[in-house]
Amino acid sequence: MTAEDVARDGPGKAFMLCNEAIVRGALESDVKVVSEYPGSPTTEILDTFSELSTMFDYKMEIASNEKVALETCAGASMVGLRTMTAMKSVGMNVASDSFFSLSYTGIKGGMVIVMADDPQAHSSQTEQDGRPFGPNAYVPMLEPSDPTEAKRMVKEAYLLSEKYGVPVLIRTTTRVNHQSGVVQLDKLDRKPFAKLPWPHPPGRFCTVAEAARNFKKALLERQRKIQEEFEYSDMNLVKDTGSEIGIVTSGAGYNYTVEATRILGIDPSILKLGTTYPLPRKLIGDFIKKKRAVIVVEELQPYLELHVTAIAKDANPELKIFGKWTGNLSEALELSPDIVATALAGVLGLGKPVDYESIIAKANTLKTGLPDRWPTFCPGCPHRATLYALRQATKGMKHILATDIGCYSMSFLDPINYGDTLLSMGASLGVAAGLQYAAQEKIVAMIGDSTFWHAGLPGMVNAIHHNDDITLVILDNEVTAMTGQQPDPGRDYNAGGQPAKPLVLEDVIKAMGVSDITIVDPYQVKAAVEPMKAALSRKGPNVIISRRACALYADRNKRRRGEAIQSNKVDKEVCKKPYTCIRNFHCPAISIDDNDRKAVITKELCDRCDVCAKLCPFGSIKLREGE
Amino acid sequence: MADKEFSVYMCGVGGQGLVLLSNVIGSACALSGMRAITGEQHGLSQRSGSINIHMRIGKDVRSPLIPIGGADAILALEALEALRYVEYLRPGGVVVMNSRVQHPIIETGEHVKDKSARYMDAEVVKTRLLQVTDKIATIDALGIARKAGNALTENVVMLGAMSTLDAFPVPDDAVEQAIKDGVPKKAVEVNLKAFKMGRQEAHGSLCNIVKCRKGFPEPMT
């Protein structure tokens, strides 16, 4: 699908990613303000809004972090406009401070928060289960299982949000966000953008002490009403086949359940919950009342299982409940159709539908010697060069490297294996502060430009104020590279290419009180080593900025300007096989020719950063010409 | 034809354009009134790592993930990746794989240490895969893409080859329309050419070992 499909007026049909369907749902609901910080698996929501922002009149910001994004939406919704923000599981942690208060104060215009968990930690630091945010903050939560439902639930969420004056969570998981399907497009009925007069008395959105206590009383009443409404909501699906075996599920778990019942040829009753906070307790009670056994199919924590167990105490004390606590399913990793089919077969005492274990065992035998291919730095990535230079500069210097969240997080993985701590956005600086008190080694912190703006600033303030002995390496590649090169506060443009004021890293840091700032170009890899070494030998806090645009971003700009992307090649007459271009560098474009064991460069992959050519002691790597 | 199910496990290396293929197939399904769903990998996918997309067509499919042993076909844009996901292939399923190997950096790193080491190649992959299916077609997609006029159309060459399968339920004209809609305007011609050349290539390989659509094998032009 293309962005035009998301923007096309209905009725019609289009094949789209769930994240695009979420945008479509918001557009059909006349969303007026959007603010987000990118994070997988929600990034395509931001990218689609950004791409369409010149075609519609909504206001959009790529915010400096998720908390600011949520607050931006909160402000606009307080006035009365419809807003949307979206964030990954761990982004919700950053935003949660205001999220809890916002549930107390409420809003006026509809506000939808998309929160995406990442079972399997595909691109996250933990397998965090965000569902407790709903009950903990008393914020209603809807869970779609596919793009069609996601679009519909977004529209329902705006109605609920305005009816009860509360933000609404749409909770997804990676396999829902990154699922495409054919979606029905409805009419786009959009009103022209207009600012509204502030309609509220003083103190309306202020919560503390007595005000907080009053808000709490009101929100409990609100929660009771929403639960009552959810008891009859058609976002919950009951399929009672008359079977005494019931399955309670939601989201991605539902998809695997349906597939598993097809594999097994069984027809159990299914309760698919779309409103997972407040849970429709009566509906669940009615469903389990006539069942002999219930299997709860959900990813991560036993959230539904806990509540089904509690409801069963009165509704059906004899009920046998199977799930995580009985060991039929795991709290670790994402589910799949075969995992659910195996679990159902186990509970029901059915024979194995397919002998998955022997298929996997055979496959593993066939894969003997198959090399791993983990994600790594792209050809031309400046991080590869920075890390190489940093290793040279720290030769003989015992040090600890506190890293952060971004593409450079991959440095601790095979085959580079460089990096000692990695917790969360901006944590490199805080952790480094503790390390310098406790460890005998030199402390180096490493952070990207976007992460520095996002959550590194408070850590920087802290390190400067306490005169912490840290050298901070900022990898300035101009964009939020990891998620697809979105502009960050260092760029002169923002969402949809709209002009923005660029912040200059060294100016900001200098103004904060650090004058020891060294700027290097990682593509000049050898020239970068000495200045880095000198900086690392001085007492911190001081800063090294390694500045070079993300290779993918630079390539895109080159293509836009009609410039060719060149490549290098190895002159085999000159190559004496020192492998300097491979050791500690590991570019995917460089391999070894099995015939003569000399290095070769794959034309299609090479980006001609020319760093390997600079590393080669024999000068055997040259520009590829006339091919 | 519309109620026939088809699940293809598509895999390759980050940057090869898998997402374009699933968008083209899915949009072609939407144009033809068919139901299609995918389980895709985004986020870390441009980082030269192994990537996969589960593509499923059929009115009753619900899971975006193909079950182990449930794929009718594996479409591998890189040879080693065909082996990496072999457990998804159903018994007797079809493998359409690119002959090109992109050597993983971990393997290259090992070669520096061990002089006797040799890379795993497409022949080894094929020999291993023969233990689970005899329906394997190897396509020189990069060579064909270059002949079509753009090395970047390697993915569309592979789609062309797979689209000749009798079991692939999406009509050709819908796929071609989806290619036109899905690629940049100035690249439409070269992609359509790559698609056609991929189909012709299937004549000499795929269609000798598995049932292709009527009209295949079609003569080379």
Side-chain angles (χ1 to χ4, degrees), chain A residues 55-359:
Chain A
M55 300 167 66
F56 293 92
D57 62 358
Y58 55 80
K59 307 292 177 197
M60 176 175 182
E61 288 187 355
I62 298 176
S64 51
N65 70 30
E66 294 86 352
K67 182 169 182 282
V68 174
L70 180 129
E71 288 155 354
T72 302
C73 290
S77 280
M78 286 170 181
V79 179
L81 296 182
R82 286 190 170 181
T83 64
M84 175 174 272
T85 185
M87 57 199 71
K88 68 182 296 170
S89 55
V90 291
M92 190 63 191
N93 299 341
V94 178
S96 63
D97 204 353
S98 289
F99 171 75
F100 280 84
S101 305
L102 193 60
S103 173
Y104 274 53
T105 65
I107 39 78
K108 185 171 190 300
M111 176 168 172
V112 175
I113 303 164
V114 181
M115 168 186 73
D117 289 338
D118 189 17
Q120 198 89 9
H122 290 283
S123 51
S124 308
Q125 55 269 44
T126 67
E127 285 193 311
Q128 178 176 312
D129 191 329
R131 288 177 295 176
F133 276 117
N136 205 354
Y138 300 93
V139 169
M141 179 164 67
L142 309 178
E143 276 192 64
S145 65
D146 68 12
T148 295
E149 273 182 10
K151 181 169 93 75
R152 193 217 155 183
M153 284 185 179
V154 166
K155 296 172 81 169
E156 295 286 343
Y158 279 110
L159 300 177
L160 266 172
S161 176
E162 284 174 358
K163 182 171 175 188
Y164 294 102
V166 62
V168 175
L169 275 175
I170 302 278
R171 189 264 185 171
T172 55
T173 56
T174 302
R175 295 297 184 181
V176 175
N177 294 90
H178 289 163
Q179 179 188 153
S180 291
V182 180
V183 172
Q184 179 70 42
L185 306 176
D186 300 325
K187 199 110 192 82
L188 281 174
D189 186 16
R190 296 185 60 85
K191 294 174 194 70
F193 188 96
K195 286 190 176 189
L196 305 173
W198 180 253
H200 309 292
R204 165 65 188 84
F205 297 99
C206 303
T207 176
V208 68
E210 182 61 7
R213 293 187 282 272
N214 289 333
F215 278 133
K216 178 75 180 277
K217 224 182 290 168
L219 78 79
L220 290 175
E221 179 57 16
R222 175 185 83 200
Q223 188 260 1
R224 195 191 57 75
K225 283 183 187 154
I226 297 172
Q227 181 180 330
E228 186 59 27
E229 181 167 338
F230 282 176
E231 296 289 355
Y232 305 97
S233 169
D234 64 358
M235 288 187 278
N236 298 312
L237 180 85
V238 185
K239 182 192 168 202
D240 213 320
T241 60
S243 170
E244 286 183 306
I245 307 296
I247 296 177
V248 178
T249 185
S250 68
Y254 172 71
N255 298 331
Y256 306 138
T257 297
V258 172
E259 195 75 25
T261 60
R262 290 199 327 147
I263 293 169
L264 295 168
I266 56 172
D267 197 15
S269 299
I270 297 177
L271 170 59
K272 175 194 178 293
L273 292 164
T275 64
T276 45
Y277 181 77
L279 281 166
R281 297 177 63 88
K282 285 203 280 289
L283 182 75
I284 296 170
D286 288 345
F287 179 77
I288 64 176
K289 207 168 274 172
K290 291 152 280 176
K291 301 291 177 287
R292 192 160 51 83
V294 157
I295 307 157
V296 184
V297 179
E298 62 189 317
E299 292 183 309
L300 303 175
Q301 295 182 347
Y303 169 80
L304 297 178
E305 190 174 345
L306 168 72
H307 289 283
V308 168
T309 305
I311 294 164
K313 180 179 150 286
D314 294 325
N316 183 356
E318 301 301 310
L319 183 71
K320 288 204 166 62
I321 300 167
F322 299 89
K324 316 264 175 178
W325 287 330
T326 48
N328 297 91
L329 290 164
S330 171
E331 292 185 39
L333 308 182
E334 63 183 5
L335 297 178
S336 66
D338 28 283
I339 289 172
V340 174
T342 304
L344 297 188
V347 170
L348 302 174
L350 303 171
K352 279 185 189 171
V354 180
D355 190 354
Y356 296 116
E357 281 160 26
S358 65
I359 293 177

Side-chain angles (χ1 to χ4, degrees), chain A residues 541-604:
Chain A
N542 62 347
V543 175
I544 298 168
I545 298 174
S546 183
R547 176 168 288 150
R548 174 58 71 164
C550 161
L552 296 175
Y553 177 64
D555 284 353
R556 200 193 298 161
N557 289 335
K558 274 185 198 166
R559 283 193 203 99
R560 209 168 277 162
R561 294 193 299 262
E563 286 175 31
I565 291 157
Q566 296 177 308
S567 73
N568 272 343
K569 66 180 211 176
V570 176
D571 183 342
K572 287 198 174 178
E573 302 291 310
V574 184
C575 176
K576 292 193 172 53
K577 303 186 272 192
Y579 302 127
T580 322
C581 59
I582 296 173
R583 282 198 192 95
N584 290 333
F585 195 62
H586 305 290
C587 175
I590 306 176
S591 54
I592 295 172
D593 187 333
D594 271 344
N595 298 312
D596 54 15
R597 301 226 355 116
K598 292 186 176 179
V600 283
I601 294 175
T602 307
K603 183 186 167 193
E604 285 69 29

